[in-house]
Amino acid sequence: MPGPRNIPIYQIDAFASQQFKGNPAAVCPMDVWLPDATLQAIAAENNLSETAFFIPGGEADYELRWFTPAIEVDLCGHATLAAAHCLFTHLGHPHKSITFGSRSGLLTVTKEGEEYMLDFPVDNIETVVAPRALKDALGTEPVEVLMGRDDFLVVLESEADVAQLAPDLRLLKQVRCRGVIVTAPGSTTDFVSRCFYPAAGVDEDPVTGSAHTTMTPYWAERLSKQELTARQLSKRGGNLRCTMLGERVAISGKAVTYMKGEIFV
C-alpha cells in the first residue's frame, strides 16, 4: 500500500490585518482531488469554519472547493480570500489576479496593495414573512426579513441590537435554511452583521464574505450608495469594503498568515 501523502496546509486569518482577528481558514493546495470523504475528514479535523482546497487547471487558473467541518458549501468568501493570499504570498502567483472555478461559477481575486478584492455573484433577495421558529430562535422582533439563495437576512434596528443578540442555536438549527444573517445600520460603518450557520456545523462565523453578497444589495438600495463599509461583530471581528457592480459584488479585505505545515493522509 502507498504510504501517507504529504499535503501543505496554511492557516490564514482573512478579513484581518493582524493575527487572531478576522476569520481563520485552512488552505490546502493539491495537485489532484482526493476523495470527497477525505476532504471532508480533513475539514472536520481542522475544525475551522472553512477549509479551502484547490488544484491547478480547468477553465480557470485553479479549481476551488470549500468544506465546513460538516458539509461542502457552494460559496465561501473568507476562504477564497485565504486561498488567494496563500497563492500570492507563499506560492509565487505571478499575476495581479487569480481566477478560481467553483460551484458558484468563476470567481476572481485581485491584489490591490495590501488588500484583496473578491469579485462574486450578487445574491438575489426578496422580502418574506419571518417563520415563527426564526423569531423564537432570535428572541427579537425584526424590522424586516428577507430570503436569499440560501440564507435568511434579518434586519434589526441598531448596531447594539446586533451586538447584544443571543440566539438559541438549538432552535436556530431547526429553521429551514443554510444560515441566518443578522444586520443593522452601523455606528461607524455603513452596516454591521453577525452570521449563524449551526445547521452547517458553524454556530457563529467570525467574518462571512459570502453573506456580504446578500447584504450589499440590500444596503446599497437602502442607503442609495454603491460603495459601503461593513463590520462583522463577532468576537474576533472583521472589516470589509463592499461595492455593487451590477450583478456582481466586489468585497475587499486583508489577510495574514498564522501557520504553515503539512498533513499526512
Side-chain angles (χ1 to χ4, degrees):
M1 291 182 62
R5 181 171 185 163
N6 296 24
I7 298 175
I9 184 169
Y10 300 81
Q11 186 169 319
I12 293 164
D13 293 335
F15 296 116
S17 56
Q18 64 186 86
Q19 291 177 342
F20 314 120
K21 300 293 185 182
N23 199 351
V27 179
C28 294
M30 300 188 302
D31 297 324
V32 296
W33 293 124
L34 296 178
D36 288 2
T38 303
L39 300 181
Q40 186 63 73
I42 292 171
E45 185 78 6
N46 290 337
N47 200 32
L48 298 170
S49 59
E50 228 83 33
T51 296
F53 302 92
F54 63 79
I55 63 172
E59 61 179 337
D61 296 323
Y62 298 91
E63 294 296 319
L64 178 63
R65 298 170 70 182
W66 312 274
F67 289 76
T68 77
I71 61 170
E72 182 174 7
V73 298
D74 292 337
L75 184 65
C76 178
H78 85 279
T80 302
L81 190 156
H85 175 80
C86 176
L87 281 158
F88 281 120
T89 303
H90 301 290
L91 301 181
H93 184 76
H95 306 296
K96 184 180 178 181
S97 295
I98 301 171
T99 303
F100 294 108
S102 77
R103 281 186 170 187
S104 293
L106 292 178
L107 310 174
T108 301
V109 184
T110 303
K111 187 167 174 54
E112 298 182 334
E114 295 183 351
E115 287 192 336
Y116 303 96
M117 185 189 75
L118 312 178
D119 182 338
F120 275 16
V122 70
D123 194 5
N124 295 312
I125 55 176
E126 60 180 15
T127 302
V128 296
V129 176
R132 171 51 57 187
L134 177 62
K135 292 182 179 181
D136 290 346
L138 295 177
T140 189
E141 186 67 32
V143 172
E144 190 175 4
V145 177
L146 303 95
M147 187 69 194
R149 181 175 50 250
D150 300 307
D151 304 328
F152 279 107
L153 176 62
V154 178
V155 183
L156 300 185
E157 190 71 32
S158 70
E159 178 171 325
D161 292 334
V162 176
Q164 295 166 8
L165 195 68
D168 184 325
L169 295 171
R170 181 185 59 82
L171 287 179
L172 203 62
K173 191 173 183 178
Q174 298 172 18
V175 178
R176 294 176 62 86
C177 63
R178 182 187 69 163
V180 176
I181 305 163
V182 183
T183 187
S187 56
T188 60
T189 58
D190 289 313
F191 64 93
V192 297
S193 65
R194 291 171 66 192
C195 298
F196 305 94
Y197 301 95
V202 181
D203 286 347
E204 180 170 1
D205 196 36
V207 193
T208 314
S210 64
H212 289 75
T213 68
T214 305
M215 289 184 283
T216 299
Y218 174 85
W219 288 109
E221 181 176 356
R222 177 166 162 176
L223 300 177
S224 299
K225 297 175 66 175
Q226 297 302 298
E227 297 185 6
L228 304 112
T229 57
R231 179 162 179 80
Q232 198 153 325
L233 301 178
S234 64
K235 183 177 180 180
R236 292 174 65 100
N239 298 303
L240 310 90
R241 292 188 301 109
C242 306
T243 305
M244 283 296 297
L245 301 172
E247 294 300 310
R248 310 286 292 185
V249 178
I251 304 168
S252 298
K254 299 180 179 180
V256 60
T257 302
Y258 167 69
M259 178 182 68
K260 62 181 293 188
E262 287 184 315
I263 56 178
F264 308 96
V265 291

